[in-house]
Amino acid sequence: MTDDKRSSVLVISAHSGDFVWRAGGALALYAERGHDVRIVCLSYGERGESQGLWKQEGMTLEMAKEARRAEAEAAAEALGASITFLDLGDYPLRIDDAGLDRIVAEMRTAQPEALLTHVASDPYNRDHNAAHEATLLARQVAQAAGHDRTTTPIGAPQVLQFEPHQPEQCGFVPNLLLDITPVFDRKRKAMECMGAQSHLVQYYTDLGLRRGVQAVRNGGAKSIVQAEAYQRLFPIVGDELR
C-alpha cells in the first residue's frame, strides 16, 4: 500500500475490539498519512468479548453494548479513523442478507483500495470466520456493475488478513510485516480505551515487539521496534522480482 495509490482503507471487524488489537497500527499509520480510514464493526462483542463488563453486578446486554460502543469510538478517535456499527450480534455472529447489503453499501461508499479483516479459519472463534466470508462475498457483490445502479462499483482491493490470537492454529502465514513504530503510541492509547478486555493490552504490546524483531531480520530498517503481521489474500502485481 503506497501513499500515492492508496487513498482509502476499510476494516471489517467481527467485534468492536478486534480492529484495535490486530490492525490499530495500520489504521493509525494510514490516518497519519492523510488517508481515509474507516472501520465497520459487525457486532459490539457484547456477549463473548466483554469479560470485564460481565463481572460487574447488574450488567445487561444493552449496557454491555453501550459500553463497548463507547470504548470502540474512543479507540477509533485515537487512531484517527471513522467507525460504523452494524449491531448484528455475537457468539454467534450471523450475517443475513440485510447485513450483507449494509457491508456492500459501506464498501461502495468507501471505495477502498485495501480491505483488512480476519483469517478464513479460526477454530477458537467462528465469528471471525463469518466476518472473513462476509468480507469476501461483499467485495464480490460490491464489484458487480449491475448491483445498485445508484452507487459506484469498487475496484479490486487487496484483502489483508490480520493476525489471529493463535496464528499457528489458523493457518496464518504472514507475508507482510508492517512497521508501526512511528504510531505505536497511538495504538497503545487505543488499546487502553478497551477496558472490557484490558488483559489484552500487554499481550499485543509484546506481540508487536516480536513482530518488530522479525521485521528487522527480514531486511527492515534497524529502527523498527513495533510491527504488525498481515497475510495478503491476492497476488500483488509488479514488474520486479522482489
Side-chain angles (χ1 to χ4, degrees):
M1 295 195 298
T2 58
D3 289 350
D4 59 339
K5 293 183 179 179
R6 298 299 181 185
S7 59
S8 177
V9 176
L10 178 62
V11 182
I12 307 297
S13 181
H15 312 105
S16 62
D18 295 329
F19 73 90
V20 182
W21 317 115
R22 296 171 171 85
L27 302 184
L29 190 66
Y30 274 80
E32 195 162 279
R33 292 174 179 175
H35 295 252
D36 178 19
V37 178
R38 304 183 184 206
I39 303 157
V40 174
C41 290
L42 303 184
S43 80
Y44 294 110
E46 64 271 14
R47 292 187 180 91
E49 306 265 306
S50 304
Q51 297 91 322
L53 294 176
W54 288 107
K55 293 177 182 177
Q56 300 175 21
E57 187 175 352
M59 181 58 56
T60 66
L61 204 60
E62 288 306 313
M63 289 169 61
K65 286 183 180 183
E66 290 173 9
R68 291 292 278 173
R69 182 184 184 108
E71 290 178 356
E73 287 176 337
E77 182 177 1
L79 298 172
S82 64
I83 189 165
T84 300
F85 303 92
L86 301 193
D87 192 14
L88 300 178
D90 72 316
Y91 284 59
L93 169 63
R94 292 193 176 102
I95 303 163
D96 59 12
D97 289 348
L100 182 68
D101 286 344
R102 293 169 70 187
I103 300 170
V104 171
E106 292 291 336
M107 287 187 184
R108 286 207 164 192
T109 299
Q111 291 292 310
E113 305 201 29
L115 287 165
L116 278 59
T117 196
H118 299 267
V119 294
S121 181
D122 184 342
Y124 297 101
N125 195 318
R126 311 305 283 182
D127 286 4
H128 296 167
N129 303 11
H132 174 94
E133 178 58 27
T135 299
L136 295 192
L137 183 54
R139 179 184 184 272
Q140 172 188 325
V141 175
Q143 290 175 315
H147 174 81
D148 185 6
R149 297 287 290 160
T150 66
T151 60
T152 303
I154 65 172
Q158 178 63 267
V159 175
L160 295 112
Q161 301 164 99
F162 40 63
E163 184 162 10
H165 196 68
Q166 290 192 230
E168 68 280 2
Q169 297 296 107
C170 303
F172 180 77
V173 182
N175 50 27
L176 172 63
L177 296 172
L178 184 70
D179 178 13
I180 62 166
T181 306
V183 295
F184 184 73
D185 57 336
R186 294 179 64 175
K187 178 172 181 175
R188 178 83 188 196
K189 182 178 179 180
M191 292 195 295
E192 290 172 349
C193 293
M194 309 307 291
Q197 293 178 292
S198 58
H199 61 287
L200 293 177
V201 174
Q202 192 59 52
Y203 179 92
Y204 280 98
T205 298
D206 293 343
L207 177 60
L209 289 170
R210 292 196 296 275
R211 290 305 191 186
V213 170
Q214 293 166 7
V216 174
R217 293 190 65 185
N218 280 275
K222 295 187 183 302
S223 59
I224 297 175
V225 177
Q226 288 274 352
E228 287 175 343
Y230 293 88
Q231 183 176 356
R232 297 184 187 93
L233 189 61
F234 300 108
I236 57 172
V237 180
D239 59 3
E240 296 181 11
L241 289 172
R242 62 173 180 167

